[in-house]
Amino acid sequence: MKDLPLAKVCQLLEPGPVVLLTTTRKGRANVMAMSWHMMVEFEPPLIACIVSNADYSFAALKATKECVIALPALELASKVVGIGNCSGRDVDKFERFGLTPAPAERVAPPLVAECFANLECRVVDTHLVNKFNLFVLEVLKAWSGPAQKNPKTIHHRGYGSFAVDGELIKLKSRMP
Amino acid sequence: MKDLPLAKVCQLLEPGPVVLLTTTRKGRANVMAMSWHMMVEFEPPLIACIVSNADYSFAALKATKECVIALPALELASKVVGIGNCSGRDVDKFERFGLTPAPAERVAPPLVAECFANLECRVVDTHLVNKFNLFVLEVLKAWSGPAQKNPKTIHHRGYGSFAVDGELIKLKSRMP
């Protein structure tokens, strides 16, 4: 994997892809699928996300204040849905879905080697955790690769329906 | 336009499309482009979004606590980028871009008639406005139509590059 400049993180998350979120608690890593996230600031990159208190990952994220956001491409779609359909309470999801945990540099939760980018994050604001399950994260370190050519992300439309990235268009904009 | 059940709002926003956000202050309507938003709760639908305090819309949203989120399809892409490249401080964007403001039912800001869905919203939480420009909105009323067949949304990748919705895939998921 290669360093990804932190200023480029917004280009990964702003388009709204389904992502994976890993946590580690008491030495045990877990992974969930997540679509409710958004950019909050460009650099250092801040991200808000909702992790339901019904999710097994909630307690780990709240207690350890660390996670990794990993970006899966289309090829992982069926695994992503499988990950969303079961709980780390019952199963080791890395093992069940054949995903490879790789050591992160700044946080305890693992990177996901099969994803085309990984973001090591720390929780920096918990004001809205109790009310809305809303965490604000800072990206401490970002990785791209192993190289995947033009990875297509998937966008959840509910009940397992996903729009895959299609045509790319380019318009003249001054917005980063 | 037709009523859209509030339970379906998440299917519109969760995939991460660029949206338009309208506000009205002192009798004057304005519209901005926005990509930093996420679902917070299914029903009643709650949405979090970032409206920068550098945006002209920020003061209007903070003061009036009302907005409309409108969903543009691919055909509006060049107007969406144009809207993002200028400020309501300087120009009447509805007039410049030939968009039709239509009266909303529950809020003062207008619907955008050219969009395929419109969400009337009220600000319900401002705890993170000063720190992160983060507003939490409740959708009070949602509209679909005028009918557009399979509207394709656009997803910003930075500097005017957008991924258009491509192939739709369906996997077995229990997640709404």
Side-chain angles (χ1 to χ4, degrees), chain A residues 26-166:
Chain A
K26 298 176 184 170
R28 189 160 164 271
N30 188 27
V31 55
M32 64 175 275
M34 179 170 79
S35 279
W36 291 11
H37 58 77
M38 67 174 176
M39 292 302 302
V40 169
E41 187 53 86
F42 289 106
E43 194 175 4
L46 301 180
I47 297 165
C49 66
I50 306 292
V51 175
S52 167
N53 56 18
D55 290 326
Y56 188 60
S57 302
F58 177 85
L61 184 58
K62 193 172 176 186
T64 67
K65 292 189 157 55
E66 291 185 343
C67 63
V68 167
I69 291 177
L71 279 98
L74 174 60
E75 291 68 24
L76 291 181
S78 67
K79 292 189 181 191
V80 169
V81 171
I83 286 166
N85 280 345
C86 65
S87 171
R89 276 182 204 93
D90 313 314
V91 58
D92 178 334
K93 295 205 239 182
F94 280 92
E95 187 178 308
R96 174 178 288 191
F97 296 102
L99 295 176
T100 312
E105 190 176 291
R106 305 278 303 271
V107 298
L111 314 178
V112 181
E114 288 77 9
C115 287
F116 68 87
N118 281 271
L119 312 175
E120 302 186 17
C121 302
R122 176 179 59 196
V123 174
V124 292
D125 192 283
T126 56
H127 280 94
L128 296 187
V129 168
N130 289 341
K131 193 169 177 188
F132 296 122
N133 299 326
L134 188 157
F135 295 84
V136 181
L137 314 173
E138 178 181 342
V139 180
L140 304 174
K141 170 82 186 169
W143 302 93
S144 72
Q148 297 183 20
K149 201 179 174 190
N150 301 322
K152 289 177 186 291
T153 61
I154 58 174
H155 304 260
H156 194 222
R157 293 185 166 198
Y159 298 104
S161 177
F162 296 85
V164 181
D165 288 342

Side-chain angles (χ1 to χ4, degrees), chain A residues 14 125 131 156 159 170, chain B residues 14 125 131 156 159 170:
Chain A
E14 187 173 321
D125 192 283
K131 193 169 177 188
H156 194 222
Y159 298 104
K170 178 83 183 148
Chain B
E14 186 173 321
D125 192 283
K131 191 169 179 187
H156 193 223
Y159 298 103
K170 179 81 181 147

Side-chain angles (χ1 to χ4, degrees), chain B residues 103-126:
Chain B
E105 190 176 288
R106 304 279 303 273
V107 298
L111 313 178
V112 181
E114 288 78 8
C115 286
F116 68 86
N118 281 271
L119 312 175
E120 304 185 17
C121 301
R122 175 178 59 195
V123 175
V124 292
D125 192 283
T126 57

